[in-house]
Amino acid sequence: MFLVGLTGGIASGKSTVSSSLRDLGCPIIDADVVARQVVEPNSPAYVRIVQHFGSEILLENGEIDRQKLGQIVFSSTEKRRMLNSITHPEIHKAMLRQILFYFLRGYRYVVLDVPLLFETRRLTRFLNHTVVVYCDPATQLSRLMQRDGLTQEQAEQRIASQMPMNEKRGLANHVIENSGSREDTHRQVLRLHTKLEDSMEFLLVRTLAVVTAAGLGGLLLYTVKLLVL
Ligand code: ADP
């Protein structure tokens, strides 16, 4: 099995592509969903966040007020680092568990849907392929305004706060060009899926797993022999 990172800019069409891949049967691990799950009430990260930031960051129902916490860490690098040091290891563990689950079920590749893949760069070294969903700036602006009901100025501000799409495009192995119709994008997704499915890269990890398992089995047998004889 191998790992494929999927990313894009705001409203470039990442969710649209991710749901097409899911419809094709690809396992998708959504980093945003995982990030929300690891801070659910009474999880280890939740307990540590409340210890550090106090109960004033909680909503009435006991959940973390993500907006409030976001505002607190936005204005302080130190607090942001603290929050990341609590959540990132938990996010990585949860993702790893899901990857292992799909590996054991025999999938050839898993897609990690990560909005800030190239901004944080934490995961890129584990990925065999990176895919950017791109659309031209004018289309991105109008889709964002329409989807989120924003004024042009608000939409431009959100786009400007991210890494420019052209830069992301230059960093990826594959680009899905989503400035045109949904059908055109779907055709590109199909081509990409076929290419990844046909790739033999998954064999390397499976072979390594078999060799490691065989090695461990041999070691176990040897230890048992030593103990018994
Ligand atoms: P992202 O996940 O990158 O923020 P979305 O997949 O939500 O972006 O797409 C942004 C908006 O544009 C959504 O309203 C979506 O339905 C629409 N959209 C995406 N791709 C196309 C397309 N090829 N043609 C027309 N509208 C599209």
Side-chain angles (χ1 to χ4, degrees):
M1 194 188 72
F2 57 93
L3 301 177
V4 178
L6 175 69
T7 194
I10 186 167
S12 71
K14 184 176 65 63
S15 311
T16 306
V17 167
S18 157
S19 86
S20 288
L21 284 167
R22 190 170 275 131
D23 290 346
L24 291 169
C26 294
I28 315 261
I29 300 175
D30 185 325
D32 277 346
V33 172
V34 175
R36 280 196 293 275
Q37 284 168 344
V38 299
V39 296
E40 274 172 7
N42 302 319
S43 63
Y46 172 94
V47 172
R48 289 190 60 204
I49 290 170
V50 178
Q51 270 169 2
H52 276 95
F53 293 93
S55 52
E56 51 278 16
I57 52 108
L58 295 180
L59 292 165
E60 275 187 8
N61 64 5
E63 284 176 15
I64 287 174
D65 186 339
R66 293 167 61 85
Q67 221 175 343
K68 200 163 184 184
L69 189 57
Q71 279 160 4
I72 293 171
V73 299
F74 184 70
S75 52
S76 157
T77 316
E78 201 190 318
K79 286 181 180 163
R80 194 160 57 240
R81 279 212 191 108
M82 166 56 71
L83 180 64
N84 288 345
S85 75
I86 296 172
T87 56
H88 287 168
E90 295 298 325
I91 293 172
H92 292 162
K93 264 193 273 175
M95 285 179 122
L96 203 62
R97 270 198 300 272
Q98 291 190 35
I99 291 169
L100 195 65
F101 169 80
Y102 290 124
F103 172 67
L104 294 174
R105 295 191 69 182
Y107 283 96
R108 291 193 169 194
Y109 75 93
V110 171
V111 176
L112 306 186
D113 179 339
V114 188
L116 300 179
L117 187 67
F118 292 129
E119 282 87 343
T120 66
R121 288 176 168 268
R122 244 173 244 110
L123 293 170
T124 44
R125 68 197 147 123
F126 303 110
L127 304 171
N128 305 61
H129 297 264
T130 47
V131 182
V132 158
V133 183
Y134 175 87
C135 72
D136 65 69
T139 310
Q140 183 184 22
L141 185 67
S142 78
R143 285 186 187 157
L144 177 58
M145 286 166 63
Q146 205 174 356
R147 186 192 65 185
D148 294 353
L150 301 177
T151 62
Q152 182 166 340
E153 199 190 346
Q154 288 168 327
E156 279 170 349
Q157 263 176 8
R158 296 206 185 174
I159 291 171
S161 73
Q162 294 195 330
M163 183 191 278
M165 282 296 296
N166 270 330
E167 209 175 308
K168 289 193 181 186
R169 191 185 178 147
L171 293 169
N173 308 120
H174 309 271
V175 177
I176 303 268
E177 165 56 68
N178 186 38
S179 310
S181 67
R182 290 178 191 276
E183 294 69 32
D184 183 34
T185 298
H186 190 65
R187 274 193 291 275
Q188 295 176 61
V189 173
L190 271 175
R191 273 203 298 277
L192 175 69
H193 176 58
T194 309
K195 200 157 144 190
L196 295 172
E197 276 284 302
D198 288 348
S199 158
M200 287 291 140
E201 286 162 83
F202 75 98
L203 270 178
L204 179 67
V205 180
R206 267 191 210 168
T207 311
L208 280 176
V210 170
V211 169
T212 311
L216 285 175
L219 193 69
L220 195 69
L221 214 66
Y222 180 69
T223 316
V224 171
K225 260 189 184 170
L226 277 181
L227 290 174
V228 174
L229 296 176

